[in-house]
Amino acid sequence: MIAEPDDDGRVQSVVAERGPTVLRIALGGQLRKLREKANITREAAGDAIRGSHAKISRLELGRTGFKERDIRDLLTLYGVSDVEEHGRFLDLARQANEPGWWHRYNDLLPSWFGTYLGLEQAANKIRTYEANLIPGLLQTPEYARAVVSLGYEDADMDRRVAVRQRRQEILHRQDPPIVWAVIDEAALHRPVGGARVQREQMEHLIKLAGLPNVTIQVLPYAAGEHAAAGSSFSILRFAEPELPDIVYLEHLTSALYLDRRQDLATYLSVMDRLSVQSERPEKSVQILGEYAKGE
């Protein structure tokens, strides 16, 4: 957890394995609260660091790195004079600027997806609905290769698949996130990579469903129409109370990150309704077994 800056002045770092993204978001949130407490506008804060209100917005949302000079100037502007507290903020900023493991794949990944990987690494709960494919966190290497080959056929195929496999390490880390996946039956019926690959993918899902932090539900054809028809999405939640939930929607060449309360309420409601319409986890595992057998 990261303490509030006005709670006895302590700033604590989160668990390192959750990555730098959560640190940037949390630090940005603390700076926002300090600015609001000092009754200073984004425009005035931007002027203080020789930037704009848009730069302050990006900093407060954790969507860009921090320069030490900017941190010092903002803390001074916000009335934080304690030298030790300055040092704690700067130390946290240095940690937040450290590259995550996914940065070594920057030559392959669009910037918008790199942002998602950081958020996924930092989340303590991930709820996802997938209409057409098995969610990336739950894919076998061969299934992932078949999916990636739909968009790429190049010498970097192995590295592209490696990214998906590296993502999945969070499922088995010491403090893993809760993953709750609703998968449309259409994704089970579609033989991505051929019958063998699809069968092994079903068996893999059954194995993952046995993990205490993973829940898999199948949304059957029999459920009929539903609120998320044609729209796959994920909802990420974080342990830190100052970090808002984020809804992630991916398109072919871009992605959307939604954190407005109205949007969050809508997508949470849809996800809850999908979970009710879906088969129970135990029945879902039975369905996966039937698809694994080709029934």
Side-chain angles (χ1 to χ4, degrees):
M1 296 287 291
I2 297 179
E4 300 290 345
D6 53 354
D7 287 345
D8 64 26
R10 291 195 299 269
V11 180
Q12 303 171 341
S13 62
V14 296
V15 178
E17 67 178 359
R18 293 177 61 210
T21 299
V22 69
L23 292 171
R24 286 202 307 272
I25 297 174
L27 180 54
Q30 292 180 11
L31 290 172
R32 175 181 57 78
K33 290 180 180 180
L34 286 173
R35 177 180 60 77
E36 292 174 345
K37 184 178 180 180
N39 198 28
I40 294 172
T41 66
R42 286 194 178 95
E43 287 76 12
D47 290 341
I49 61 171
R50 300 151 296 281
S52 64
H53 72 281
K55 180 177 181 179
I56 294 298
S57 180
R58 291 194 298 272
L59 286 172
E60 292 181 351
L61 290 171
R63 293 179 181 172
T64 187
F66 298 91
K67 295 181 180 179
E68 290 192 17
R69 183 180 67 176
D70 291 343
I71 295 294
R72 293 181 189 277
D73 290 346
L74 288 174
L75 290 176
T76 299
L77 178 67
Y78 300 157
V80 179
S81 58
D82 184 80
V83 174
E84 290 188 3
E85 188 161 353
H86 272 243
R88 285 189 286 267
F89 268 93
L90 291 172
D91 183 60
L92 191 58
R94 294 185 193 104
Q95 295 178 55
N97 285 335
E98 289 294 321
W101 63 260
W102 54 92
H103 284 263
R104 73 187 64 175
Y105 299 98
N106 275 350
D107 57 318
L108 302 179
L109 302 174
S111 59
W112 48 265
F113 189 62
T115 298
Y116 176 76
L117 291 179
L119 293 171
E120 184 178 74
Q121 186 85 9
N124 75 328
K125 187 171 186 179
I126 303 169
R127 298 183 68 182
T128 185
Y129 166 68
E130 180 56 63
N132 300 301
L133 298 168
I134 303 304
L137 270 181
L138 310 180
Q139 293 176 3
T140 65
E142 289 304 313
Y143 187 99
R145 182 176 296 274
V147 172
V148 171
S149 68
L150 296 175
Y152 304 95
E153 280 290 355
D154 55 31
D156 290 315
M157 179 63 70
D158 288 343
R159 292 180 67 217
R160 295 185 191 280
V161 173
V163 172
R164 299 203 176 205
Q165 297 307 296
R166 182 65 187 271
R167 288 171 60 190
Q168 297 176 11
E169 292 181 5
I170 65 172
L171 299 178
H172 307 284
R173 71 189 185 194
Q174 184 175 359
D175 183 26
I178 294 172
V179 176
W180 185 353
V182 174
I183 306 173
D184 196 288
E185 188 172 3
L188 310 183
H189 190 70
R190 181 172 289 106
V192 174
R196 179 187 61 81
V197 171
Q198 186 73 355
R199 180 179 66 255
E200 292 175 351
Q201 177 63 68
M202 297 302 103
E203 294 170 348
H204 184 62
L205 289 176
I206 294 171
K207 181 179 180 181
L208 289 178
L211 296 176
N213 57 306
V214 176
T215 298
I216 297 175
Q217 288 185 277
V218 173
L219 180 63
Y221 289 135
E225 67 277 2
H226 56 85
S231 177
S232 301
F233 64 95
S234 296
I235 303 174
L236 307 180
R237 177 163 291 178
F238 308 91
E240 292 70 30
E242 65 265 34
L243 304 187
D245 291 355
I246 291 177
V247 175
Y248 174 74
L249 299 97
E250 184 175 316
H251 307 298
L252 285 176
T253 58
S254 64
L256 292 176
Y257 295 86
L258 309 178
D259 59 6
R260 294 191 309 171
R261 289 185 179 180
Q262 182 177 352
D263 293 328
L264 290 171
T266 297
Y267 278 91
L268 283 169
S269 175
V270 169
M271 185 66 84
D272 287 341
R273 287 156 62 188
L274 288 172
S275 298
V276 171
Q277 287 182 277
S278 298
E279 297 289 359
R280 298 187 309 277
E282 298 82 2
K283 176 62 176 178
S284 295
V285 169
Q286 293 178 17
I287 293 173
L288 293 172
E290 292 168 1
Y291 274 95
K293 296 175 182 177
E295 298 178 2

